[in-house]
Amino acid sequence: MGKQYNAQETEDKIRKFWEKNKTYKFNSKSKKQTFSIDTPPPYLSGKMHIGHAFSYSQQDFIARFQRMKNNVFYPFGTDDNGLPTERYVEKENKIRSKSMSRADFINLCLKTLKKMTPDFIQDYKDLGISCDYNIYYSTIDKNSQRVSQQSFIDLYKKKEIYKKEFPTLWCPECQTTIAQAELEDKEEESLFTTLRFKADNKDLLIATTRPELLPACVAVFVNPKDKRYKNLINKKATVPLFNFEVPILEDESAEIDKGTGVLMICSYGDKYDVKSINRHKLEPKLILNPDGTLKQTEYKGLRVKQARKKILEDLKENNLIEEQKQITHAINTHDKCGTPIEFITTEQWFIKLLDKKSKLIKQGKKVNWYPKYMFKRYENWVNGLEWDWSISRERHFGVPIPVWECKECNEIILPNNEELPVDPLQTKKQCPKCNKEAKGEEKVLDTWATSSMTPQIASAISLSKDKNLKIKIPFSLRPQAHDIIRTWAFYTIAKSFMHEKEIPWEDIMISGYVTLSGEKMSKSKGTGIQPKKLLEDYGADALRFWAAGSKLGNDLDYQEKDLITGKKFLNKLSNASKFVFMNLEDYKNQKPKQLEKIDKLFLQKLDILVKSATYRFETYEYSKAKAETEKFFWNMFADNYMEIVKKRIYNQTGPKKISAQYTLYKSLLTILKLIAPIMPFITEEIYQTYFKKTEKQDSIHISEWPESENLENEKYDTTLDAFIDVLSKVRQAKTKKQKSMKSEIILTMPEKQYEKIKDLLQDIQDVTNAKEIKKGNFKVEFVEE
RNA sequence: GGUCCUAUAGUCCAGUGGUUAAGACUCCUCGUUUACACCGAGGGAACAGCAGUUCGAUUCUGCUUAGGACCACCA
């Protein structure tokens, strides 16, 4: 090592060392307790994002800490299921998925994924994420498909799954059902038009933003308390332009002062319509095709927006518009493509959720949330659920729904466990009842239906590698970001509850976001910050150092200066280690019979740090562990202790020197271990360079976490604090006089102070370069040359 | 509109019912070359506002303001 620490070079070397030694391989024979982590599988799309670097670093801090205490099960997966992958593969291969068979398209996806996966995973390895990459799954691989299909079959048998024709949230762009969790608000400009309906030969004014749904109008609502319309109740209204009659009904949900107080119910404009139509048992008029075009009338074939425009023109021509104004309002869109959603009646598969809301909240409560308040978000979401989980998707790429339906008697046929994973479009089945051929289900499962099984998937993978190895549910930990509490965390809890009657993990840690000048980073903002570039410029340790800068769950502003600080820390650590071992050449790794008092006091301080840092890591407060260790190292160890022992090390021989050497060795090793989870590369480098020959373990990351020596009963000795106080005063005096720290002095201190540190007089003399120490009023005199 | 989070130097970020309110970057002064100028010593600089609880509030409570997240509304 030179004077300056070269992160890039070292990290490259260390990375290879870990790979060669299989440092992070899960040890199935270990007698230690297993700490199992339900690693988030990232979407395999493009390069690693700074947000990923942030949250994966945070979970890795915990994984590495636990690895030094327990046996860590830390798999790695990629989420290759679903629309983003489908889109990516279509683009990459310049094809349309619907123009080929499902099996062919899945194969193409798998081929494309295989090509890009290694590069993608490399980013995580470069960051030092310490997964066992051999315990790898893709959410579309055979094992995942099997687990996912088993889940479907199990829930079907438990009568938790049903099929129903129902107006569901529909994306006309992706042409598939979506779940409530996939909705995203979007502000949109819209025309708010007040139309002239007719009732009792008079105008009945109704406002709407969706005139294209006029042909689907099935009723008009007014509030029973609304005096204006009382006489119209149960009469008929005529729909403008289309000239058919609909009933005027009273409904308490109609708000008197909203719009004109009258509203039209169409099939279906929004979920309010869906509910209203059900409540009043009205016959829906379905006018939308799955591709978002209109069915009937002369507007047939027009897309929603085109139809709206045309109908408005025609309304205007016929003088049926009373008023029109521009408004902005929020509309629900599909989070994957931003297309406004519609309600379209199709036959879909559902998992029952609404019947177990309170039980799911109870399950959520059993999980330890870090930070605690994140549970509220879970609870709010579950309380707000309005639909069961629609799990079928009209897509090509995904886990096939493993059922056949008899064409004759509609009997549902399930596959046997040995057949899984199965594609019902590839395998033919006959109805056991009527012997007729059954039709394979064409739909695939919602991606969350599969990724909500990650504990079971990872567990199955490990079992396939080692027959004796069953990773139990609940896992120890789920790490994830807060934006997917309502999806990933929620669905996983729901699935484990329905399958195992268990919580999926004991703890859940939720990381915050990376912000830029206080604002949330978004893909649209582009953000020129690429982890890859940062790794090249500053190294993974520095990036991780930054990621350890905010407490769990908090957002953190990205600032380049924090990486510079990290880099400085690396340099300091590297240099301090160099100093220590320069002075340990004649040290035989022996514990001295008698420790010098100041060494003992210093080790006591170190012990307090160990205790605190351990507690911090155990409760996921890695940022505090890091801050405390960082401060101790720089201030206590480097600036104070090292200065204090310099002279003794240089000039003394025998027990006094050995005591200092022992203390330096032990404290440096301890500090390295405490900071190793945060900065794995440099700590490994120092360990390999200096400690390896005397320490047993091959890698610092599988070495024992430092034990605190249980000083509870021992009273804390404040002598060292008093000592440092004196030292600090002397330094102050030297600075004021603009003298060198090495300048020789005569030190006078009060009786009380003198008595307090009387066992450490030699040390204070050494570190302050005092020629003489006297009692009296505090005074620093300089010895002139 | 509802729920939740956040508010500390120019910037980022700790922490506390009584503290000289910590650290980093920046700024100023000085020092230093047998670990380190990516250094050392020292200095300057902060508890959003208003009320309440309290002997005492930056810390607890309420409100206000600002920012953020999630949800709802979208006639």
Side-chain angles (χ1 to χ4, degrees):
Chain A
M1 267 185 272
K3 279 192 172 181
Q4 280 179 38
Y5 173 68
N6 184 333
Q8 294 86 314
E9 210 173 275
T10 308
E11 291 182 3
D12 226 41
K13 186 177 74 188
I14 295 294
R15 201 155 24 236
K16 283 179 187 136
F17 168 81
W18 288 337
E19 243 158 73
K20 192 172 136 250
N21 283 272
K22 301 191 167 66
T23 307
Y24 305 119
K25 187 176 174 351
F26 178 66
N27 179 4
S28 58
K29 296 194 177 72
S30 169
K31 287 191 179 107
K32 289 180 180 174
Q33 216 180 347
T34 299
F35 188 89
S36 44
I37 301 174
D38 185 15
T39 321
Y43 261 129
L44 224 165
S45 56
K47 292 195 179 74
M48 188 200 259
H49 189 257
I50 182 86
H52 282 136
F54 181 66
S55 58
Y56 277 84
S57 291
Q58 294 180 346
Q59 70 185 48
D60 195 57
F61 302 153
I62 303 303
R64 286 180 180 275
F65 162 72
Q66 290 291 348
R67 191 177 291 108
M68 292 167 81
K69 302 203 86 176
N70 299 309
N71 188 31
V72 167
F73 178 76
Y74 193 16
F76 191 83
T78 49
D79 194 1
D80 308 329
N81 206 335
L83 280 169
T85 307
E86 196 171 334
R87 291 253 166 71
Y88 181 86
V89 172
E90 283 182 330
K91 221 169 116 189
E92 191 83 337
N93 296 286
K94 298 192 177 67
I95 49 107
R96 297 281 299 175
S97 68
K98 301 236 165 173
S99 64
M100 49 203 303
S101 84
R102 182 158 85 189
D104 286 348
F105 185 70
I106 290 180
N107 279 334
L108 182 63
C109 286
L110 293 176
K111 223 174 95 190
T112 312
L113 289 169
K114 202 170 179 183
K115 207 169 66 193
M116 56 185 289
T117 301
D119 267 0
F120 182 76
I121 295 180
Q122 193 57 42
D123 288 348
Y124 290 80
K125 292 182 175 168
D126 288 350
L127 186 60
I129 303 302
S130 63
C131 293
D132 180 347
Y133 292 92
N134 284 311
I135 307 179
Y136 168 79
Y137 65 85
S138 155
T139 52
I140 194 64
D141 66 22
K142 287 212 152 40
N143 174 67
S144 298
Q145 291 204 33
R146 183 184 308 113
V147 172
S148 183
Q149 291 186 333
Q150 277 167 344
S151 161
F152 181 94
I153 293 165
D154 184 42
L155 296 185
Y156 184 83
K157 287 179 176 165
K158 286 178 172 159
K159 303 206 186 320
E160 296 287 6
I161 287 185
Y162 63 93
K163 190 164 89 165
K164 192 181 168 191
E165 187 153 58
F166 195 72
T168 46
L169 297 165
W170 184 270
C171 174
E173 169 67 24
C174 305
Q175 297 205 32
T176 182
T177 333
I178 62 168
Q180 192 181 345
E182 291 168 89
L183 294 176
E184 196 172 71
D185 279 6
K186 208 164 137 187
E187 287 284 320
E188 207 164 78
E189 290 276 308
S190 198
L191 271 178
F192 188 66
T193 311
T194 307
L195 301 173
R196 296 197 181 108
F197 281 56
K198 285 273 183 216
D200 258 5
N201 290 320
K202 277 186 261 171
D203 281 352
L204 179 64
L205 301 179
I206 299 180
T208 180
T209 54
R210 304 207 56 186
E212 74 278 13
L213 293 177
L214 279 175
C217 185
V218 292
V220 161
F221 279 6
V222 296
N223 192 296
K225 290 193 189 109
D226 196 335
K227 288 177 191 132
R228 292 173 292 178
Y229 306 113
K230 207 153 192 141
N231 58 326
L232 292 177
I233 288 169
N234 292 328
K235 290 185 176 165
K236 301 275 182 193
T238 308
V239 176
L241 203 60
F242 296 90
N243 295 317
F244 60 87
E245 291 191 323
V246 294
I248 301 170
L249 303 172
E250 54 179 338
D251 195 288
E252 306 241 330
S253 71
E255 287 174 43
I256 295 171
D257 46 9
K258 214 162 176 179
T260 59
V262 193
L263 73 153
M264 62 176 196
I265 302 297
C266 302
S267 48
Y268 296 93
D270 54 28
K271 72 178 176 205
Y272 178 82
D273 287 343
V274 177
K275 283 185 181 166
S276 304
I277 288 170
N278 283 341
R279 189 166 58 240
H280 290 268
K281 298 194 167 51
L282 298 164
E283 187 63 34
K285 289 183 192 160
L286 304 177
I287 59 151
L288 268 188
N289 289 311
D291 63 356
T293 58
L294 263 63
K295 275 182 186 164
Q296 292 101 342
T297 74
E298 69 240 57
Y299 304 97
K300 186 176 170 180
L302 291 180
R303 297 190 144 266
V304 166
K305 275 196 179 163
Q306 298 168 320
R308 184 180 307 165
K309 208 177 149 206
K310 188 78 184 27
I311 287 179
L312 279 175
E313 279 168 16
D314 293 348
L315 284 164
K316 203 169 182 181
E317 217 161 275
N318 290 287
N319 196 29
L320 293 165
I321 294 177
E322 173 78 14
E323 199 192 345
Q324 209 169 33
K325 58 182 173 183
Q326 197 80 27
I327 58 158
T328 345
H329 65 160
I331 51 167
N332 274 320
T333 63
H334 184 195
D335 63 354
K336 298 285 188 322
C337 65
T339 309
I341 60 105
E342 297 291 346
F343 282 82
I344 288 199
T345 302
T346 50
E347 196 173 55
Q348 301 294 345
W349 295 90
F350 296 86
I351 292 182
K352 292 181 193 166
L353 292 178
L354 297 180
D355 60 347
K356 46 181 86 69
K357 277 163 88 164
S358 65
K359 282 178 186 159
L360 290 175
I361 288 172
K362 248 185 217 161
Q363 289 302 103
K365 211 175 229 163
K366 286 186 204 162
V367 177
N368 302 309
W369 294 74
Y370 297 93
K372 217 171 177 178
Y373 62 78
M374 291 292 179
F375 168 69
K376 272 269 162 215
R377 301 199 184 178
Y378 172 87
E379 192 182 23
N380 286 345
W381 175 255
V382 180
N383 274 326
L385 277 179
E386 296 188 74
W387 322 90
D388 280 336
W389 179 9
S390 134
I391 51 163
S392 42
R393 297 289 181 273
E394 281 77 356
R395 300 305 304 179
H396 240 39
F397 184 55
V399 178
I401 293 179
V403 297
W404 292 258
E405 187 174 344
C406 176
K407 288 173 180 168
E408 198 68 24
C409 68
N410 293 336
E411 173 80 5
I412 296 288
I413 303 149
L414 298 171
N416 295 319
N417 199 32
E418 303 79 59
E419 295 175 78
L420 303 180
V422 70
D423 182 349
L425 299 186
Q426 301 287 305
T427 308
K428 294 207 183 318
K429 289 254 180 208
Q430 288 193 324
C431 178
K433 282 190 180 157
C434 42
N435 264 332
K436 289 268 160 41
E437 198 192 320
K439 186 175 175 293
E441 172 62 79
E442 288 178 3
K443 298 189 185 76
V444 298
L445 288 165
D446 174 16
T447 61
W448 293 113
T450 303
S451 44
S452 56
M453 300 297 290
T454 46
Q456 292 86 345
I457 288 170
S459 184
I461 286 276
S462 74
L463 197 61
S464 72
K465 301 221 173 214
D466 185 338
K467 293 247 166 356
N468 306 315
L469 189 72
K470 177 107 177 118
I471 303 295
K472 285 195 204 84
I473 289 171
F475 272 36
S476 312
L477 173 67
R478 152 68 66 86
Q480 64 164 77
H482 57 72
D483 54 337
I484 50 175
I485 289 176
R486 64 180 189 170
T487 49
W488 198 33
F490 168 62
Y491 288 141
T492 310
I493 289 173
K495 282 276 192 104
S496 283
F497 178 63
M498 287 184 268
H499 289 302
E500 284 104 11
K501 291 273 167 222
E502 260 290 4
I503 47 172
W505 355 263
E506 281 154 8
D507 296 354
I508 182 168
M509 64 181 277
I510 309 280
S511 17
Y513 280 134
V514 177
T515 58
L516 266 185
S517 322
E519 279 186 51
K520 185 188 163 184
M521 296 216 314
S522 65
K523 279 166 207 153
S524 56
K525 279 190 194 110
T527 73
I529 305 157
Q530 291 208 343
K532 211 159 201 155
K533 180 95 172 66
L534 300 180
L535 291 182
E536 278 164 22
D537 294 348
Y538 299 97
D541 281 337
L543 188 57
R544 294 169 64 107
F545 181 91
W546 161 76
S550 86
K551 60 183 165 196
L552 184 63
N554 266 27
D555 294 347
L556 178 63
D557 212 56
Y558 169 78
Q559 299 217 346
E560 190 156 358
K561 70 181 179 62
D562 293 328
L563 294 184
I564 295 170
T565 307
K567 212 174 163 187
K568 279 182 169 179
F569 185 82
L570 298 177
N571 198 50
K572 189 82 179 175
L573 202 56
S574 151
N575 276 305
S577 304
K578 192 169 92 184
F579 168 83
V580 167
F581 281 91
M582 268 170 55
N583 294 296
L584 252 53
E585 273 163 17
D586 57 341
Y587 175 63
K588 305 270 180 345
N589 199 26
Q590 70 264 52
K591 189 170 178 178
K593 284 190 192 94
Q594 176 110 43
L595 274 174
E596 288 290 299
K597 176 143 193 209
I598 193 147
D599 298 338
K600 207 176 148 191
L601 290 171
F602 174 72
L603 288 174
Q604 189 187 31
K605 272 211 182 296
L606 178 71
D607 200 62
I608 291 166
L609 171 72
V610 167
K611 210 170 162 188
S612 170
T614 307
Y615 175 72
R616 301 302 197 189
F617 271 120
E618 272 166 356
T619 51
Y620 301 94
E621 294 186 278
Y622 51 80
S623 63
K624 286 175 190 164
K626 173 231 167 202
E628 285 168 7
T629 309
E630 181 189 359
K631 193 184 170 193
F632 184 91
F633 162 72
W634 205 300
N635 181 255
M636 207 54 212
F637 182 73
D639 292 344
N640 285 326
Y641 185 73
M642 276 167 55
E643 292 301 324
I644 291 167
V645 293
K646 259 181 187 170
K647 271 201 179 167
R648 174 146 51 104
I649 287 268
Y650 292 156
N651 304 331
Q652 294 273 354
T653 50
K656 286 192 172 176
K657 184 176 183 181
I658 293 173
S659 174
Q661 288 176 317
Y662 168 81
T663 309
L664 283 173
Y665 182 96
K666 182 176 169 162
S667 53
L668 178 62
L669 181 59
T670 303
I671 288 166
L672 284 177
K673 286 185 176 191
L674 296 183
I675 207 78
I678 312 283
M679 294 185 283
F681 292 96
I682 187 158
T683 47
E684 184 75 287
E685 166 71 3
I686 296 168
Y687 184 85
Q688 294 301 327
T689 311
Y690 302 117
F691 289 98
K692 182 73 160 278
K693 27 186 191 297
T694 41
E695 296 294 316
K696 277 173 275 177
Q697 288 86 358
D698 285 340
S699 159
I700 190 171
H701 299 295
I702 49 174
S703 71
E704 291 296 320
W705 185 256
E707 287 289 326
S708 90
E709 308 194 342
N710 285 324
L711 298 168
E712 272 117 79
N713 301 327
E714 253 178 78
K715 218 174 148 206
Y716 177 66
D717 192 327
T718 55
T719 309
L720 189 56
D721 297 318
F723 180 95
I724 286 167
D725 194 47
V726 174
L727 172 56
S728 161
K729 282 210 172 76
V730 173
R731 283 172 170 168
Q732 217 160 359
K734 286 184 175 178
T735 298
K736 247 179 208 152
K737 285 272 156 64
Q738 307 197 341
K739 297 280 187 185
S740 158
M741 283 302 127
K742 285 184 174 167
S743 55
E744 204 178 6
I745 57 161
I746 296 165
L747 173 62
T748 315
M749 56 183 147
E751 175 91 34
K752 218 174 155 186
Q753 230 165 10
Y754 188 98
E755 283 304 316
K756 176 86 183 170
I757 62 169
K758 71 175 190 303
D759 295 336
L760 309 175
L761 286 179
Q762 183 60 50
D763 299 295
I764 198 80
Q765 211 170 335
D766 283 351
V767 72
T768 60
N769 198 21
K771 198 172 147 194
E772 202 186 338
I773 295 180
K774 300 196 277 199
K775 289 186 214 175
N777 287 335
F778 188 88
K779 196 162 70 175
V780 176
E781 294 162 279
F782 292 89
V783 180
E784 299 301 333
E785 292 289 302

